[in-house]
Amino acid sequence: MVGVKVKLTFTASWGTAEGYTNSSGYYDISFHDYWTLWAFESDIHIYAENSMARVANSSNTVYEKAERLTDFPNGGTKLYSYTFDPVVDGDLGKAMMIFTGLKNYADYAQALNGGTAIEQCTVRYPTDNGAYYSNGYNYICLGKESMVVSGCPAVYASWDVIGHEYGHHLQKHFFNRDYFGTHYAGVTDFETYLWEKNESGSGAYVLPSSDEANAKKQSMGLAWKESWPTFFAISAQKSFSSAVGSVATVGDSAYTAFNGVYQNLNTFNQHYGETSEDTIMAFLYQLWDTANSTSDKLSISDSDLWTIMVSSNPEFFCDFISALYSSGLAFNRSDLGLLLEAFLFSASNLVVTADPENYAVIPSFSWQKNGYDITYMSHTYFLSNDKFDLVFYDASMSFVFQRTGLIGSSYTLSASEWNQIIALSGTTYYVMVKSYDTFGVTSGPYYSKLYSFTKPTSASSTPSLGTLSSKRYFEQTIAIAPGAKWRMTLSFPYSGKKAIQTFGNKDTKIWLYQADGTTLIGSNDDSGYGTNAFTCLDAVANTNYILEVGYYSSYVSGETKVSITPFVGCLADGQTSYSSYESFVNINTYPTFTWGSYLFGNSSKIVTWSPPEDGNYTVRLESDFDNYLYVVDPTSSAPLVMNVDYNDDSNGSTNASLTNDYSSSKKYYVVYAQYNNGNDLGNENSISVKFIKN
């Protein structure tokens, strides 16, 4: 036996010698000088004990083999050997086999612990109470041989059981959590909790809502606390020497106990959620083992898993997953998500519904919700995924943004979110789903794999320019991919001039075509504000035109804003045509100024405004008819905001008004119109625009 305590005592002397057998199972004692006089009669004592492992009877007396060595030659050599046999030596022989198993587990744990010894653990055998770990006293109780179920290992040979209980010993000293209670193989701990609460056995029992959080925490905590020791026992055996490989069930991938409990860890057929010991221990085994499959591409070492456990002390399985995911360990996080999907911990089968050729169509994502709902006494407890986050990454798998708190199993991106994706470099992007369950107490997240999607390379849309608001002013914030163009099909309900331009901080270019898309009407690069593009179209009603918008450089991507305004008049002095942003009258004379003009049906008026000094201003319209006002910051591609950038009625009147801080460094684009541009104003068409410094 390796590592067992041996002591030699001398009958005629007070002297003793003791130590531990070496890796070959030997213990050598050398006698010198006068000690050789006493060596002819001595006793050898072999104990089921070393510094980390100890086996004792129910009275806590360590098992001992003592034998008189009567023929020890004076000054000579004596070789003593003994083979322990469970049949011949009874409980002593069985204790020695238990010690060998316990000692192997302790050595394995010491190696995981960086070579630092583990506090001694005692196994008491046999006892009347089955197998359990006494958390307060560092000992394991093993049952009697009469408890063995036919076909199962003997109690003393149930190394899986010994390893499981020793796992609890490690939990106590390194990552203890106070979850205790009844638990069974093949049954979730949430179901066991319900059984114990339903003391009367009533068929109408429903868990009170006030107890839902405790029930969830207790069942998750117990499942995690019981599953890790089983995984520890089975994985540790892979490191045991071949000398103990002949012990029944040692070295296989199943937990086999003397009481008939059998749990195969090498399986993917466990989908019972985070309150299931069976599911969690099978997941841990697949996470650790070296065998790969379509669902398992990971092999996290036992030492790395130990480090995660000791450093994070996870309370629940989901906390372990979070600690593993955020650790610095070098493994593919998508592969972890793949394994979580295989055990139905996380959402899976993420798909996108989109036009693969046109990124003007905003996509929707949908996924399969997973987890495990539990029905007890005709009442269903929804412990499956019910809240989700969508996380987006660029082509290099760097984080872009996430959409949190989604309920249901689908989501359509907002225009600004989709624009962020389109503006990314590369032709692909990645999406991951983080899954939670909110029953009782929120648990998660559980991560999906990273799903790869290809970005469309072009965009085409047909804005609705016949609506009431579009007859006054139309805008759309768009994102343009590197080297791409956004194509719009335009058709106006009324003939007349249309100011078509971009707003933002990028160098844009526009092309305007006849309906055939090839006959060029005109193009422009920098006639807008700054490096924005501008053109004026004399449109014919109900005629299609093609507008293309792109960036001057094919390497640039991101958002810009397309603006279209049907207008009449307000040509600046010295200008002969509306060929640029500078063609419109610019108001810049005084901090407080009134501009008077007239409005006509089916068109708006455009002026630009340069505040003479920074400050807070009110821009207000005054007329006898219902009017509408836009004050646009030409450096911004963000959508306009009601009552910040545009207004209908203010202060109980039908006159529009905006009050904001404005900068003297900008030339704002001011559009004013009737509320309904289709009305005929007759002779009552005068309107004033007041710029008031507050």
Side-chain angles (χ1 to χ4, degrees):
M1 293 179 64
V2 177
V4 70
K5 180 179 177 181
V6 178
K7 181 166 70 172
L8 198 67
T9 59
F10 303 99
T11 305
S13 169
W14 48 263
T16 63
E18 68 177 53
Y20 301 98
T21 56
N22 61 25
S23 60
S24 298
Y26 288 98
Y27 175 59
D28 297 320
I29 303 176
S30 298
F31 299 92
H32 303 281
D33 301 325
Y34 61 86
W35 287 105
T36 60
L37 299 175
W38 310 107
F40 69 92
E41 190 174 76
S42 56
D43 295 320
I44 187 167
H45 305 262
I46 305 170
Y47 301 93
E49 179 180 17
N50 69 12
S51 60
M52 295 191 296
R54 179 175 179 270
V55 183
N57 61 23
S58 59
S59 299
N60 201 30
T61 300
V62 68
Y63 281 95
E64 174 189 359
K65 166 70 175 176
E67 188 171 339
R68 173 66 53 88
L69 303 178
T70 58
D71 56 349
F72 206 119
N74 190 0
T77 299
K78 172 70 175 180
L79 176 62
Y80 173 83
S81 66
Y82 188 85
T83 301
F84 290 96
D85 186 287
V87 177
V88 175
D89 295 296
D91 285 349
L92 172 61
K94 297 167 185 174
M96 289 300 180
M97 188 167 183
I98 293 170
F99 170 81
T100 301
L102 185 64
K103 187 253 182 203
N104 273 275
Y105 284 117
D107 288 346
Y108 174 74
Q110 182 180 17
L112 291 177
N113 198 37
T116 301
I118 310 297
E119 184 170 335
Q120 188 184 64
C121 178
T122 295
V123 172
R124 292 186 180 180
Y125 168 84
T127 61
D128 295 326
N129 300 314
Y132 67 91
Y133 177 74
S134 178
N135 207 56
Y137 300 98
N138 287 342
Y139 67 79
I140 297 167
C141 285
L142 284 181
K144 297 178 177 179
E145 297 304 325
S146 59
M147 300 175 179
V148 176
V149 173
S150 177
C152 294
V155 174
Y156 66 86
S158 287
W159 281 25
D160 293 354
V161 176
I162 296 169
H164 173 92
E165 301 303 339
Y166 188 78
H168 285 311
H169 178 71
L170 296 175
Q171 284 178 322
K172 176 194 173 182
H173 292 287
F174 293 96
F175 31 86
N176 188 44
R177 292 289 185 171
D178 293 329
Y179 290 100
F180 308 96
T182 303
H183 60 101
Y184 303 97
V187 179
T188 69
D189 289 335
F190 189 85
E191 291 169 288
T192 303
Y193 185 94
L194 296 174
W195 292 344
E196 292 193 321
K197 287 293 182 179
N198 185 19
E199 296 177 354
S200 66
S202 168
Y205 178 80
V206 176
L207 183 72
S209 59
S210 59
D211 196 28
E212 288 177 352
N214 182 65
K216 174 99 171 280
K217 291 184 67 175
Q218 172 64 22
S219 55
M220 286 196 305
L222 187 58
W224 175 236
K225 187 166 185 175
E226 292 297 334
S227 59
W228 184 86
T230 303
F231 161 72
F232 167 81
I234 303 307
S235 60
Q237 293 172 12
K238 303 295 184 180
S239 71
F240 293 175
S241 71
S242 58
V244 298
S246 60
V247 178
T249 78
V250 170
D252 63 12
S253 59
Y255 174 85
T256 308
F258 61 84
N259 61 359
V261 174
Y262 177 86
Q263 295 163 301
N264 180 20
L265 276 66
N266 190 15
T267 179
F268 289 93
N269 193 28
Q270 290 285 349
H271 307 130
Y272 305 110
E274 57 194 348
T275 70
S276 166
E277 300 170 24
D278 304 73
T279 303
I280 295 174
M281 66 179 70
F283 177 90
L284 292 174
Y285 187 88
Q286 299 300 333
L287 182 69
W288 162 82
D289 75 345
T290 57
N292 286 338
S293 68
T294 55
S295 299
D296 176 17
K297 303 181 184 300
L298 288 175
S299 181
I300 309 295
S301 70
D302 45 9
S303 58
D304 284 339
L305 292 176
W306 173 264
T307 299
I308 294 293
M309 293 295 295
V310 173
S311 62
S312 65
N313 189 15
E315 184 174 6
F316 307 119
F317 175 63
C318 59
D319 298 329
F320 166 77
I321 293 298
S322 294
L324 178 61
Y325 197 90
S326 61
S327 72
L329 297 179
F331 67 90
N332 190 325
R333 269 54 182 173
S334 184
D335 289 341
L336 177 59
L338 179 69
L339 191 59
L340 287 166
E341 288 184 20
F343 283 90
L344 303 188
F345 283 114
S346 65
S348 59
N349 298 329
L350 180 67
V351 296
V352 63
T353 302
D355 186 336
E357 304 298 328
N358 182 14
Y359 62 75
V361 179
I362 297 175
S364 296
F365 293 88
S366 60
W367 54 90
Q368 176 181 313
K369 299 195 297 182
N370 289 318
Y372 186 66
D373 295 330
I374 293 173
T375 299
Y376 178 75
M377 298 296 183
S378 301
H379 184 81
T380 299
Y381 300 90
F382 296 98
L383 275 70
S384 56
N385 309 148
D386 62 359
K387 188 175 77 171
F388 306 90
D389 300 338
L390 277 185
V391 190
F392 293 82
Y393 302 86
D394 64 16
S396 64
M397 297 188 182
S398 296
F399 173 80
V400 179
F401 71 90
Q402 66 176 337
R403 186 68 170 87
T404 62
L406 301 176
I407 306 300
S409 57
S410 64
Y411 176 68
T412 300
L413 294 180
S414 68
S416 62
E417 290 170 338
W418 182 228
N419 285 349
Q420 288 185 68
I421 299 297
I422 292 302
L424 297 174
S425 299
T427 59
T428 60
Y429 64 99
Y430 296 88
V431 188
M432 177 186 67
V433 187
K434 294 161 64 174
S435 304
Y436 306 81
D437 169 54
T438 62
F439 176 86
V441 60
T442 298
S443 55
Y446 293 109
Y447 306 86
S448 76
K449 71 176 185 179
L450 283 171
Y451 289 82
S452 174
F453 298 102
T454 301
K455 293 191 301 183
T457 57
S458 62
S460 60
S461 61
T462 304
S464 179
L465 300 176
T467 62
L468 188 60
S469 60
S470 297
K471 292 176 184 178
R472 298 187 298 262
Y473 172 82
F474 168 84
E475 69 168 27
Q476 182 180 350
T477 298
I478 63 174
I480 302 175
K485 296 177 183 178
W486 189 298
R487 170 174 283 212
M488 291 183 176
T489 301
L490 309 179
S491 179
F492 302 95
Y494 304 112
S495 299
K497 289 182 170 60
K498 319 296 177 183
I500 302 173
Q501 59 192 313
T502 61
F503 289 137
N505 58 9
K506 292 182 170 62
D507 190 353
T508 57
K509 190 171 182 178
I510 57 178
W511 297 261
L512 194 61
Y513 298 91
Q514 299 285 3
D516 59 13
T518 58
T519 304
L520 183 66
I521 299 173
S523 63
N524 185 261
D525 179 12
D526 293 332
S527 294
Y529 185 88
T531 58
N532 282 283
F534 176 94
T535 191
C536 180
L537 171 67
D538 282 319
V540 177
N542 302 315
T543 300
N544 285 344
Y545 301 90
I546 304 299
L547 173 69
E548 288 186 346
V549 183
Y551 290 120
Y552 180 81
S553 170
S554 61
Y555 297 101
V556 174
S557 64
E559 288 186 340
T560 189
K561 181 160 62 177
V562 176
S563 166
I564 302 175
T565 312
F567 74 98
V568 172
C570 296
L571 188 67
D573 290 344
Q575 297 287 326
T576 58
S577 64
Y578 295 99
S579 59
S580 73
Y581 192 82
E582 302 300 323
S583 299
F584 299 99
V585 168
N586 178 241
I587 310 297
N588 63 1
T589 310
Y590 305 106
T592 298
F593 183 80
T594 299
W595 167 261
S597 64
Y598 298 90
L599 283 179
F600 302 94
N602 307 328
S603 63
S604 301
K605 278 291 179 80
I606 302 170
V607 296
T608 61
W609 171 49
S610 300
E613 56 192 51
D614 294 346
N616 185 267
Y617 290 81
T618 296
V619 183
R620 186 171 65 233
L621 300 180
E622 290 184 357
S623 70
D624 294 332
F625 51 86
D626 193 357
N627 51 52
Y628 219 97
L629 173 67
Y630 303 83
V631 179
V632 182
D633 179 354
T635 68
S636 173
S637 59
L640 299 185
V641 177
M642 179 70 172
N643 297 326
V644 175
D645 305 300
Y646 66 100
N647 178 258
D648 176 15
D649 301 327
S650 64
N651 300 320
S653 74
T654 58
N655 287 313
S657 177
L658 291 170
T659 300
N660 279 307
D661 291 330
Y662 294 98
S663 170
S664 61
S665 65
K666 296 179 181 179
K667 185 179 289 187
Y668 295 91
Y669 186 70
V670 180
V671 178
Y672 54 100
Q674 300 181 69
Y675 174 80
N676 186 345
N677 259 356
N679 289 339
D680 183 2
L681 295 173
N683 295 324
E684 305 297 327
N685 59 351
S686 64
I687 187 170
S688 296
V689 186
K690 292 183 175 291
F691 302 91
I692 304 168
K693 176 73 182 298
N694 296 319

